Amino acid sequence: MKLFIYFLLICAALGVRASEKRSENTVGSINAPPTGGITGFWLEIMMTKLSYIDRKLLKLQSDLDQHRERMERNQECHQNTSPSAPTATTTTPNPKLPYYSSCKNVPSKLSGVYLISVHNDSAPFNVYCEQEKFGGGWIVIQHRFDGSVDFYRNWEQYRDGFGELDSEFWLGLEHIHQLTTARTHELIVEVTDFSGNSGHAHYNAFQVGSESEMYELKTLGTYNGTAGDSLSYYEKGRKFSTKDRNNDGRPEYHFAVRYEGAWWYGSGGGYSNLNGRYQNAANPKSNWWWYFKTPNWYHGLSFTRMMIREL
């Protein structure tokens, strides 16, 4: 800083001398005031101004130093009073969810999603357990109630299942086969029409064959209920058909395409089409249960649910 001030003083002095010399050349030495007086006067003014500036700069530097010190103190105080950084913690993995051989063995009486394992050495999978209606213990294998899921699907999708367990869904033929082959199961079918009429069909035995058997409806027990028996006539002993697999037994007909669904249609087309189109209409492509509110005449249903339970 001081070197800068000295530099300004030298520049000022040189400027004054140059000015005086020009003045002597143009006006003459008679009219010029004494050289020493002018030079001393201007030097005194410059020294005063530069001294003032120097004091201001020193004051500014002092203020900056004080401000820096306050900031450092505040930061140190904040670090001392703030919560300490979290220490590393050891987390334990979440415990494995329990799984059961069937919904009948689930101890909870609340309906919901549970893990089921067909065999002790098989991989468990999620199912929806109905634990309140019809005595509980039911595995839901099909559920429709609002038409949000398209059920006009191919073989692989019906084999593996689709939809969400808390919404509309089809559990999957392979899961149904594994469950009903490992242990004896019964079946119940719930239906409700768009007028609010409800009914159910109960069968005391139910078994589905393997994929190599085209998921044949191998066993279907005795019917009882309020919805009418719309499953025993053509469906028993029939293979499952989808829009890309015609297993009806009659090449000239393809009921999965004609009815826009997937089912155990048999050679006569069957008396039910619960995986047909969700619509409030009297149409063969609707999801209907023929003997519910006889004659049904293909009237669509607003609600269907199929459930199996280990005996």
Side-chain angles (χ1 to χ4, degrees):
M1 182 63 68
K2 291 186 180 293
L3 290 174
F4 177 70
I5 293 172
Y6 293 150
F7 175 74
L8 291 176
L9 286 172
I10 294 170
C11 290
L14 291 175
V16 170
R17 290 183 64 86
S19 176
E20 289 175 351
K21 189 172 182 179
R22 286 194 302 272
S23 176
E24 291 174 357
N25 293 335
T26 55
V27 179
S29 59
I30 297 173
N31 297 325
T35 302
I38 294 176
T39 302
F41 173 74
W42 284 108
L43 285 174
E44 185 178 352
I45 292 176
M46 292 297 297
M47 287 294 293
T48 302
K49 289 184 176 293
L50 290 173
S51 179
Y52 175 78
I53 293 172
D54 188 40
R55 289 195 302 273
K56 286 292 186 181
L57 291 174
L58 289 173
K59 179 66 166 59
L60 180 60
Q61 183 66 41
S62 177
D63 291 343
L64 289 173
D65 291 340
Q66 292 177 8
H67 178 71
R68 188 181 298 109
E69 290 177 0
R70 285 196 299 269
M71 292 293 293
E72 291 175 353
R73 287 196 300 269
N74 290 338
Q75 184 177 3
E76 183 179 356
C77 180
H78 176 72
Q79 291 176 349
N80 292 334
T81 57
S82 60
S84 58
T87 57
T89 56
T90 303
T91 57
T92 56
N94 292 329
K96 292 183 178 180
L97 294 175
Y99 56 88
Y100 309 92
S101 61
S102 70
C103 290
K104 191 175 182 180
N105 295 328
V106 173
S108 174
K109 299 302 180 183
L110 295 176
S111 300
V113 178
Y114 297 90
L115 275 173
I116 297 296
S117 178
V118 178
H119 305 286
N120 292 333
D121 57 348
S122 62
F125 55 90
N126 285 322
V127 300
Y128 190 94
C129 295
E130 171 55 59
Q131 299 293 83
E132 300 163 40
K133 294 189 67 176
F134 303 107
W138 297 92
I139 298 174
V140 181
I141 63 174
Q142 189 252 35
H143 195 191
R144 306 186 72 182
F145 55 88
D146 63 3
S148 58
V149 174
D150 183 9
F151 273 64
Y152 190 39
R153 303 202 178 210
N154 62 31
W155 180 264
E156 289 186 357
Q157 291 169 308
Y158 268 94
R159 179 193 64 197
D160 301 336
F162 55 85
E164 300 295 335
L165 294 177
D166 58 352
S167 182
E168 294 193 334
F169 71 93
W170 173 262
L171 182 61
L173 289 164
E174 186 59 33
H175 286 324
I176 298 170
H177 158 67
Q178 292 176 8
L179 288 165
T180 58
T181 302
R183 289 174 289 276
T184 304
H185 282 73
E186 58 185 329
L187 168 72
I188 195 164
V189 179
E190 294 181 277
V191 295
T192 302
D193 63 20
F194 282 92
S195 298
N197 302 303
S198 297
H200 70 274
H202 175 257
Y203 300 88
N204 61 7
F206 179 73
Q207 182 184 357
V208 173
S210 65
E211 185 174 15
S212 62
E213 297 171 308
M214 305 303 172
Y215 296 116
E216 174 189 347
L217 183 54
K218 300 186 75 172
T219 302
L220 188 67
T222 304
Y223 160 83
N224 68 76
T226 60
D229 183 7
S230 298
L231 201 58
S232 295
Y233 295 97
Y234 285 102
E235 286 81 350
K236 185 178 180 180
R238 301 303 180 181
K239 297 174 174 57
F240 199 86
S241 289
T242 60
K243 64 182 180 180
D244 59 336
R245 290 282 188 95
N246 183 4
N247 296 318
D248 300 335
R250 294 179 64 180
E252 67 272 24
Y253 293 104
H254 192 169
F255 288 106
V257 174
R258 177 174 292 189
Y259 293 163
E260 295 190 3
W263 199 246
W264 298 276
Y265 292 111
S267 58
Y271 285 89
S272 51
N273 188 39
L274 295 188
N275 293 329
R277 295 294 187 185
Y278 187 92
Q279 55 186 359
N280 184 8
N283 189 314
K285 298 178 180 180
S286 301
N287 58 329
W288 40 268
W289 187 262
W290 182 262
Y291 285 108
F292 179 56
K293 299 296 177 183
T294 306
N296 177 274
W297 296 112
Y298 306 114
H299 280 286
L301 299 168
S302 65
F303 174 91
T304 65
R305 188 164 66 161
M306 300 174 65
M307 303 186 293
I308 60 174
R309 181 171 62 183
E310 179 184 354
L311 291 172

